[in-house]
Amino acid sequence: QVQLVESGGGSVQAGGSLRLSCLVSGSIASIVSMAWYRQDPRGQREQVAHITNVGTTTYGDSVKGRFTISRNDVKNTVYLQMDDLKPEDTGVYYCKAVLLGAAYWGQGTPVTVSS
């Protein structure tokens, strides 16, 4: 069992930055990978960043060069650093933990980027 709690969302102007945090608890040693997803106001969901348990990262095309996913295992936290934010980045951001045969989701943290 894994529990995930996101934080750090808010409202910013275009070009600004936010850092999202995902606090992880439970069977941390069983996690294979972590990811950040977002759901835009139209309901479309996409994976924006992914990190494996050995540190390999991948990003969605729309955020490459602007977003960075990282982990601090001492703090049991996964981060999403978001720079040069654009209005199309607006949405609810969710943290996901993948285990063998299971996946767990947080409740999400909203991000609004204004022009």
Side-chain angles (χ1 to χ4, degrees):
Q1 302 89 335
V2 172
Q3 296 80 44
L4 308 171
V5 180
E6 301 98 331
S7 62
S11 298
V12 297
Q13 298 283 340
S17 297
L18 285 172
R19 188 182 72 166
L20 307 183
S21 298
C22 176
L23 180 63
V24 185
S25 61
S27 301
I28 295 174
S30 298
I31 297 174
V32 175
S33 66
M34 300 286 298
W36 285 97
Y37 285 74
R38 69 186 180 194
Q39 184 168 328
D40 68 24
R42 298 170 182 167
Q44 184 173 356
R45 185 188 69 185
E46 65 174 329
Q47 183 178 286
V48 298
H50 179 267
I51 185 168
T52 72
N53 58 358
V54 296
T56 302
T57 59
T58 56
Y59 298 92
D61 288 341
S62 63
V63 307
K64 287 180 180 177
R66 300 188 297 119
F67 289 12
T68 304
I69 187 171
S70 62
R71 301 194 321 230
N72 186 323
D73 292 333
V74 174
K75 296 182 178 181
N76 294 330
T77 302
V78 178
Y79 302 98
L80 184 67
Q81 177 67 43
M82 306 186 296
D83 297 318
D84 191 24
L85 284 162
K86 302 176 180 180
E88 52 262 44
D89 295 320
T90 293
V92 180
Y93 284 70
Y94 296 90
C95 183
K96 178 185 179 182
V98 179
L99 290 70
L100 292 177
Y104 298 87
W105 296 82
Q107 292 186 336
T109 185
V111 171
T112 301
V113 184
S114 62
S115 300

